[in-house]
């Protein structure tokens, strides 16, 4: 999935009317991606450890891999704050912020339609 001129992403399927949905889903379709974006929307830039604490249940490796993937997809940016001790902050890019409506709709839909499992 590459950016074309103007910062837009190329549609990678045959161009049917569902291709934009598929392309968008491929950006946030992994389990933790929407959660990470949601936490960065709510809290602003976070360090790795703070983000790991805020995304309950994610391992360090999965978080690291997810952040790398989101950075590759130009949704998250990584900024080195200091070398000693080494500290990095993760924040949403403009493209990442543009997903706010989608992520908030996902949360709203979930609040409306999902229930806790019975024991």
């Amino acid at each position: 999935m590459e950016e074309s001129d103007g910062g837009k992403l190329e549609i990678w399927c045959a161009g049917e009317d569902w291709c934009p949905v598929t392309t968008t889903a491929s950006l946030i379709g992994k389990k933790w991606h929407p959660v990470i974006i949601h936490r960065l929307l709510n809290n602003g830039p976070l360090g790795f450890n703070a983000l790991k604490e805020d995304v309950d249940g994610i391992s360090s490796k999965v978080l690291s891999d997810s952040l790398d993937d989101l950075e590759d997809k130009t949704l998250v940016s990584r900024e080195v704050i200091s070398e000693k001790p080494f500290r990095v902050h993760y924040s949403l890019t403009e493209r990442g912020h543009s997903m706010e409506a989608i992520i908030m709709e996902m949360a709203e839909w979930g609040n409306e339609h999902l229930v806790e499992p019975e024991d």
Side-chain angles (χ1 to χ4, degrees):
M1 193 176 317
E2 293 184 22
E3 285 189 44
S4 61
D5 291 338
K8 293 195 175 196
L9 295 171
E10 291 180 3
I11 292 176
W12 49 266
C13 51
E16 289 88 359
D17 62 351
W18 51 264
C19 281
V21 173
T22 304
T23 302
T24 303
S26 72
L27 292 173
I28 60 170
K30 292 188 178 176
K31 176 180 178 178
W32 295 105
H33 286 39
V35 178
I36 293 166
I37 294 169
H38 183 263
R39 295 307 191 264
L40 292 172
L41 282 167
N42 284 345
N43 300 318
L46 291 170
F48 185 88
N49 290 334
L51 191 53
K52 184 177 183 309
E53 188 174 303
D54 206 23
V55 180
D56 190 34
I58 193 169
S59 71
S60 294
K61 173 152 180 35
V62 171
L63 177 58
S64 180
D65 290 348
S66 296
L67 288 167
D68 287 346
D69 192 37
L70 289 168
E71 189 176 4
D72 288 345
K73 292 176 177 175
T74 68
L75 296 173
V76 169
S77 65
R78 178 183 186 267
E79 178 186 3
V80 176
I81 303 300
S82 68
E83 295 288 337
K84 293 184 181 181
F86 187 73
R87 289 190 14 221
V88 176
H89 274 173
Y90 295 91
S91 60
L92 294 174
T93 62
E94 188 174 324
R95 176 173 285 147
H97 276 287
S98 73
M99 297 205 114
E100 182 172 13
I102 296 166
I103 300 298
M104 294 309 166
E105 283 293 323
M106 289 171 72
E108 188 175 312
W109 188 93
N111 285 331
E112 186 177 324
H113 296 282
L114 302 175
V115 296
E116 292 290 325
E118 295 180 25
D119 290 338

